Amino acid sequence: PDAVAAAAAAGIRKEALACCLQVVAALESWARPIKEAALRAAEAEPGPAGNVRATSSSLPFMERDGSHSSLNSLAAAAAPNKSPAKAGSSGAAPSEAERLAAAKSTKDQLSKGISLFNSKGPFKGLDWLMSQGLLDSSPAAVSAFLRAQADQLDKAQLGELLGHHEDFAVAVMHAWIDGEPSMAGQAIDQSLRRLLGGFRLPGEAQKIDRIMEKFAERYCKDNPGRFSSADAAYVLSFAIIMLNTDAHNPSAERRLAKADFVAMNQQQGEEGGMVPVLPVGQLEDIFDRVVRDEILVRGEAANKDFASSRTSTRNRLAAAMGWTSLLQPFRALAGGSSSGRSGRDSTNQAQRRYLQEMAEREVVRAAASGNVWCCTSH
């Protein structure tokens, strides 16, 4: 019912705008003889110095400078390579009705491109917008367009584009992160929270990897000396994503402990041993903030309609990061018939806990040694 009502309302708006355009065209046709007569009279009247005087103030029906700035700016902003209105065959300036029709056409094409982006995929939408001359093909222009239209774009599709492996998508992602406000003086989890508020992180490990690598580079550029290298910031950024997924995923059977999070974020020290990428106190503060407040896309926290999609996203992220595969052996131990589960003795439960703890320790050990991915399927 809501979709039908929305479609009906859109049809009514379209018909109403068409009627308005016809009324404007009729008014211009009626006013044209008066405007031409006023123009001839103004040209014939001499000015104070004997020159012909013709000012916009003496022509009540003539356009004043800036009277159509909103329409022109709409068309220019949406179509930098496309003129807002086509002049007539005589080269005369377009009429008011033509300006309105051009602005409406631009808006309709823009809406279609955004709809394709959201429903058919980001590349379909961008290709359409570029083919219509509404969008320049440079990564910087695409990034600026995406940021300007972010409220209308599907956040999951935007995340898929920014994490895609094609060179153009990678360049757009770099332009997007470079266009973020300054990260100077911020804790890394706060900067990451602000970045991920603009799009939904994709559910594939390689896509997450590309985004985190560029984020770490930008963060270190804005905060020189905070980390020993961009690799250390990258490891911590990835660990924050893993912690956010683990701490707020209802499917997780066991949560990552604070000590394990600190142990994950180790790097090779100057003397050969493993040292934390940040002081332990700062790592513990990051852990507390992420566990207390989930990192979410802006606007989703208060929207109950996104509850199921958030759960699905967490599960995909958990699978991408290896948590799902890691838990498969434990779920197998817990499976079986209800009678089997009720008859399971304490020995089996102790064995299950031991296997889970051993696997989690192995993940922490592998992460500390530089092997970020460690699960039963990798």
Side-chain angles (χ1 to χ4, degrees), residues 27-28 30-42 59-63 94-96:
L27 287 173
E28 284 199 326
W30 170 79
R32 187 175 297 110
I34 303 174
K35 183 188 298 185
E36 292 173 352
L39 181 60
R40 287 194 297 270
L59 304 176
F61 294 99
M62 292 182 68
E63 300 174 358
S95 65
E96 181 71 10

Side-chain angles (χ1 to χ4, degrees), residues 74-84 106 109-110 125-137 145:
L74 171 64
N81 297 329
K82 190 175 182 180
S83 60
T106 297
Q109 292 174 342
L110 185 64
L126 294 179
D127 288 344
W128 161 261
L129 292 167
M130 291 177 187
S131 68
Q132 298 301 308
L134 298 174
L135 180 61
D136 188 76
S137 60
F145 172 84

Side-chain angles (χ1 to χ4, degrees), residues 4 6 28-29 45 63 91 96 98 100 149 231-232 261 272 285 292 301 317 328 355 371-372:
V4 174
E28 284 199 326
S29 178
E45 183 180 353
E63 300 174 358
E96 181 71 10
E98 290 172 336
L100 288 172
Q149 304 295 332
D231 288 341
F261 177 76
D285 289 342
R292 182 175 62 249
L317 284 172
Q328 289 302 324
L355 287 174
N371 299 321
V372 176

Side-chain angles (χ1 to χ4, degrees), residues 60-115:
F61 294 99
M62 292 182 68
E63 300 174 358
R64 288 180 170 81
D65 184 36
S67 61
H68 305 291
S69 59
S70 61
L71 292 175
N72 288 337
S73 62
L74 171 64
N81 297 329
K82 190 175 182 180
S83 60
K86 293 182 179 179
S89 58
S90 62
S95 65
E96 181 71 10
E98 290 172 336
R99 291 177 184 272
L100 288 172
K104 178 183 181 300
S105 176
T106 297
K107 183 177 180 181
D108 289 346
Q109 292 174 342
L110 185 64
S111 297
K112 181 175 181 179
I114 290 174
S115 177

Side-chain angles (χ1 to χ4, degrees), residues 242 245-246 256 264 317-319 321-328 363:
M242 296 173 71
T245 303
D246 176 77
L256 189 68
M264 288 173 64
L317 284 172
M321 293 178 177
W323 296 130
T324 303
S325 299
L326 187 62
L327 289 174
Q328 289 302 324
V363 170

